[in-house]
Amino acid sequence: MVTPEDSATFFAADAFARHNGMKCVEVGPGRAVVKMEVRDYHLNSHGTVHGGALFTLADTAFALASNSHGIPAAAINAEISYLTAARTGPLYAEAEEYAVNPKLASYTVRITNDAAEKIAIFQGMVYRKTPRRD
């Protein structure tokens, strides 16, 4: 099982997430919460949070949750649906494991704001590099 220190090291190695102002709030087996304070550079030309920033937030929580078992996991599919526009933050991405087997795992990530309004929903699947048993 992954320790909190392992999760912190894993997150610290994600330069893109750090560059975009993501903060790891919590990681547990099959789950993670990531926070993003909305800054001017997260906004699109409509004055709302850019879809790419929301995807990055969700993908970061997805990565932490899917790698929380100590087995390297890499995304093989991901999609997001934007439910309402966000203009300010903070925003939170909460990833939860939906199904897991030795080679594949599926996750749902919900993005909300401080008022618990639903901003987006993300679903992703990973390939798990489970060691072979010879």
Side-chain angles (χ1 to χ4, degrees), residues 51-74:
L54 293 171
F55 191 97
T56 298
L57 175 61
D59 190 53
T60 302
F62 171 49
L64 284 162
S66 64
N67 283 280
S68 66
H69 297 291
I71 296 170

Side-chain angles (χ1 to χ4, degrees), residues 17-89:
R18 284 185 288 109
H19 175 75
N20 282 283
M22 312 291 166
K23 303 287 183 200
C24 179
V25 175
E26 178 184 337
V27 178
R31 63 178 315 276
V33 178
V34 176
K35 177 181 178 181
M36 180 180 78
E37 290 287 349
V38 175
R39 303 288 183 231
D40 287 346
Y41 58 84
H42 292 123
L43 302 179
N44 61 25
S45 57
H46 297 289
T48 61
V49 178
H50 193 286
L54 293 171
F55 191 97
T56 298
L57 175 61
D59 190 53
T60 302
F62 171 49
L64 284 162
S66 64
N67 283 280
S68 66
H69 297 291
I71 296 170
I76 58 172
N77 185 44
E79 65 179 355
I80 193 166
S81 295
Y82 304 104
L83 307 173
T84 191
R87 295 181 184 278
T88 60

Side-chain angles (χ1 to χ4, degrees), residues 56-130:
T56 298
L57 175 61
D59 190 53
T60 302
F62 171 49
L64 284 162
S66 64
N67 283 280
S68 66
H69 297 291
I71 296 170
I76 58 172
N77 185 44
E79 65 179 355
I80 193 166
S81 295
Y82 304 104
L83 307 173
T84 191
R87 295 181 184 278
T88 60
L91 299 176
Y92 301 90
E94 185 172 352
E96 182 178 19
E97 197 167 73
Y98 181 75
V100 65
N101 69 48
K103 292 292 180 187
L104 298 173
S106 178
Y107 294 81
T108 299
V109 184
R110 291 168 182 82
I111 298 178
T112 59
N113 59 17
D114 263 349
E117 294 172 314
K118 297 171 184 168
I119 306 300
I121 188 159
F122 170 109
Q123 291 183 297
M125 181 174 286
V126 294
Y127 174 76
R128 303 176 77 223
K129 298 175 186 175
T130 304

